[in-house]
Amino acid sequence: MSSSRCACCILSSSFPSITFDDQGVCSYCRDQTAGLSIDTAIERARAQVKELFEHRHQPYDAIVCNSGGKDSSYTLMLAVQKYGLRILSFTLDNGFLAPAAFDNIRKVTDALGVEQLTYRPSLPFFRRVIRATATKPIYREKTLMRISAGCNACISLVNTMAVRIALEKEIPIILAGFTLGQIPTNAIIFRNHFRFLAESREESLARLTEAVGHEVENYYDIPGRVLDRVASYPHSVNLLCLETLREEEIVAKVEAIGWRKPTGVDGCSSNCELNTFNNYVHERRLGFSPYEWELSLLVRKGLMSRAEALSKIEDNPVERLSRLADGLGLTGEERVGLGLGVASSRA
Amino acid sequence: MDRSLIDQGIIDSFGLVEITGFIEQEFRVKIREEDMTREAFGSMNKMARFVSARVEMGT
């Protein structure tokens, strides 16, 4: 990255709408007191969670979207040990999870006595989706401020599948391991009204369908006949946002029940090898890391030092990109377009 | 003010979540599931009418 960065957080000069003052402090750091304060949002969410968790359900109180990473593993711990919820753990196997992530899912769910459900979409389909996000403008700039296009496509799939399962099994709560910075402050807890929120996804889904084909609707949509019968949509809750823990403390907590940090992943992921590719594409296209927003918020809250945040986004093993491009089945033209050169060896 | 914030690219799905949360907090109105429609939240003017009606009703 050749751009300069904020003197306080790690946002770079390429970040949308950013300006800097004479001291090199960015407009986002200066304006952090504007709007709903984070502490107020957290307190409000805590009260809502307390009320929501008072009612228990059979056979499950909540479904946890469990990627096998440290954050969703800790979310699972919190759900079971702190809140005493009956949980169904759900994993979307996108074909690029590190082998150690599956070991972690087994160890953590076994240690907590939780049922595990793993869903694997068609790999050729998922590859086409990621290739489309890498080579075409599928999502808007607003969305890409806090997440890469590839990760957004994957997480949207996770969310759709989680809502489907929740509706099918009448599970009233979906828990995810997002931290503040990955989501807006008043999205710690919200009604996951699929039909209402679908309008905002229509345009990007149309672009994805144009690039990938109508199979997209099978994965990213819920049939109208199913939604017509919905009496109440599940709540989505991000429990990690209610905790004030540094990353190393979260790692220590999950390691105590068998979780181990995988190898083969970059500094910003603890489960998915594809993250490195998605980060590369994002930085190449937009000039900033998709983790700058999230990590900058942790820096401002004092939960991570600026040096730690910088070392995380700089831990991006580009030497793995060619193998990932092979795994995604990128054409020679797509590889050249992404600055990846010609194929080394096709998988 | 009558144009959709989504169509204009101003907000995404999290933006809708943010707006509904903001309205509940700021105007102390309860947004029920059946309120979550394009008719109520499709544009700035529609949201203003929704909030105004709810504030008048005291809910």
Side-chain angles (χ1 to χ4, degrees):
Chain A
M1 298 278 295
S2 57
S3 59
S4 57
R5 293 187 187 279
C6 172
C8 292
C9 69
I10 64 165
L11 289 181
S12 56
S13 56
S14 310
F15 200 80
S17 307
I18 199 167
T19 58
F20 295 93
D21 67 13
D22 295 344
Q23 280 74 49
V25 177
C26 78
S27 40
Y28 293 97
C29 280
R30 287 198 314 269
D31 297 343
Q32 62 181 308
T33 53
L36 181 65
S37 89
I38 292 172
D39 292 339
T40 305
I42 291 172
E43 279 316 306
R44 187 171 147 234
R46 279 203 180 106
Q48 288 177 291
V49 163
K50 188 176 176 216
E51 188 181 337
L52 188 65
F53 287 2
E54 275 176 2
H55 311 284
R56 294 307 162 104
H57 299 82
Q58 290 289 350
Y60 308 107
D61 297 308
I63 179 170
V64 170
C65 300
N66 181 7
S67 68
K70 65 180 188 330
D71 291 339
S72 53
S73 297
Y74 187 53
T75 298
L76 197 56
M77 267 185 90
L78 287 171
V80 173
Q81 295 183 338
K82 180 173 179 177
Y83 295 99
L85 302 178
R86 283 179 296 254
I87 296 297
L88 175 64
S89 167
F90 163 64
T91 301
L92 185 125
D93 173 9
N94 65 10
F96 292 88
L97 294 184
F102 291 102
D103 292 338
N104 285 329
I105 289 165
R106 274 193 295 275
K107 285 175 186 166
V108 170
T109 52
D110 285 350
L112 296 171
V114 165
E115 289 176 45
Q116 168 66 29
L117 179 65
T118 303
Y119 170 75
R120 185 172 165 107
S122 151
L123 189 57
F125 167 77
F126 189 76
R127 284 172 172 158
R128 291 203 305 276
V129 167
I130 297 301
R131 274 161 40 201
T133 63
T135 57
K136 294 175 170 43
I138 304 294
Y139 300 110
R140 285 182 162 166
E141 187 185 73
K142 174 80 180 172
T143 301
L144 299 179
M145 282 173 70
R146 60 176 87 235
I147 191 169
S148 68
C151 285
N152 194 56
C154 188
I155 286 171
S156 296
L157 189 52
V158 172
N159 179 59
T160 305
M161 292 300 161
V163 173
R164 275 191 199 178
I165 295 166
L167 293 176
E168 182 187 312
K169 297 184 182 298
E170 298 181 341
I171 304 173
I173 300 166
I174 297 171
L175 301 176
F178 291 119
T179 58
L180 280 171
Q182 292 178 315
I183 57 168
T185 46
N186 53 8
I188 298 172
I189 174 169
F190 65 94
R191 179 79 74 173
N192 202 327
H193 194 305
F194 192 86
R195 186 165 260 164
F196 175 61
L197 299 175
E199 186 197 346
S200 63
R201 294 188 283 258
E202 277 174 5
E203 190 185 88
S204 57
L205 276 188
R207 283 196 286 261
L208 195 57
T209 302
E210 187 182 346
V212 175
H214 284 283
E215 209 176 348
V216 164
E217 293 156 14
N218 298 338
Y219 286 98
Y220 285 92
D221 201 6
I222 299 178
R225 66 179 186 283
V226 174
L227 298 181
D228 287 344
R229 294 198 302 268
V230 173
S232 185
Y233 284 95
H235 278 90
S236 279
V237 184
N238 294 285
L239 290 178
L240 219 50
C241 299
L242 307 180
E243 304 294 314
T244 310
L245 287 177
R246 298 176 65 84
E247 181 176 311
E248 58 267 29
E249 294 172 303
I250 292 173
V251 170
K253 297 264 188 195
V254 292
E255 281 183 344
I257 58 168
W259 188 91
R260 295 292 177 267
K261 181 169 172 48
T263 55
V265 292
D266 59 64
C268 290
S269 176
S270 54
N271 67 314
C272 184
E273 295 176 349
L274 194 56
N275 200 53
T276 305
F277 176 81
N278 292 335
N279 290 349
Y280 168 80
V281 170
H282 190 97
E283 288 191 37
R284 181 180 165 82
R285 184 184 290 167
L286 299 169
F288 62 92
S289 163
Y291 286 89
E292 285 183 20
W293 181 261
E294 171 197 349
L295 295 176
S296 290
L297 190 137
L298 294 177
V299 170
R300 289 185 205 113
K301 281 184 67 69
L303 293 172
M304 184 176 285
S305 72
R306 187 174 180 275
E308 285 170 321
L310 282 173
S311 85
K312 283 176 79 68
I313 60 168
E314 284 163 3
D315 178 9
N316 222 6
V318 289
E319 69 277 7
R320 296 190 192 128
L321 288 172
S322 191
R323 185 177 57 79
L324 288 164
D326 288 346
L328 287 165
L330 289 177
T331 65
E333 191 180 346
E334 287 170 336
R335 292 180 67 114
V336 170
L338 290 169
L340 293 172
V342 292
S344 51
S345 60
R346 295 303 298 265
Chain B
M1 295 291 272
D2 279 318
R3 290 179 63 199
S4 162
L5 297 178
I6 293 166
D7 292 345
Q8 293 178 79
I10 296 170
I11 59 170
D12 56 10
S13 58
F14 268 139
L16 274 176
V17 171
E18 278 191 278
I19 284 176
T20 50
F22 173 80
I23 288 173
E24 284 193 317
Q25 173 80 5
E26 197 67 21
F27 300 101
R28 303 196 181 281
V29 298
K30 180 75 180 164
I31 298 174
R32 299 183 288 259
E33 284 192 66
E34 56 268 30
D35 297 327
M36 294 181 170
T37 62
R38 186 189 288 250
E39 287 69 40
F41 292 92
S43 68
M44 290 293 286
N45 280 339
K46 285 177 179 174
M47 282 186 263
R49 282 196 290 273
F50 170 81
V51 172
S52 177
R54 278 303 167 83
V55 169
E56 276 182 29
M57 287 165 62
T59 58

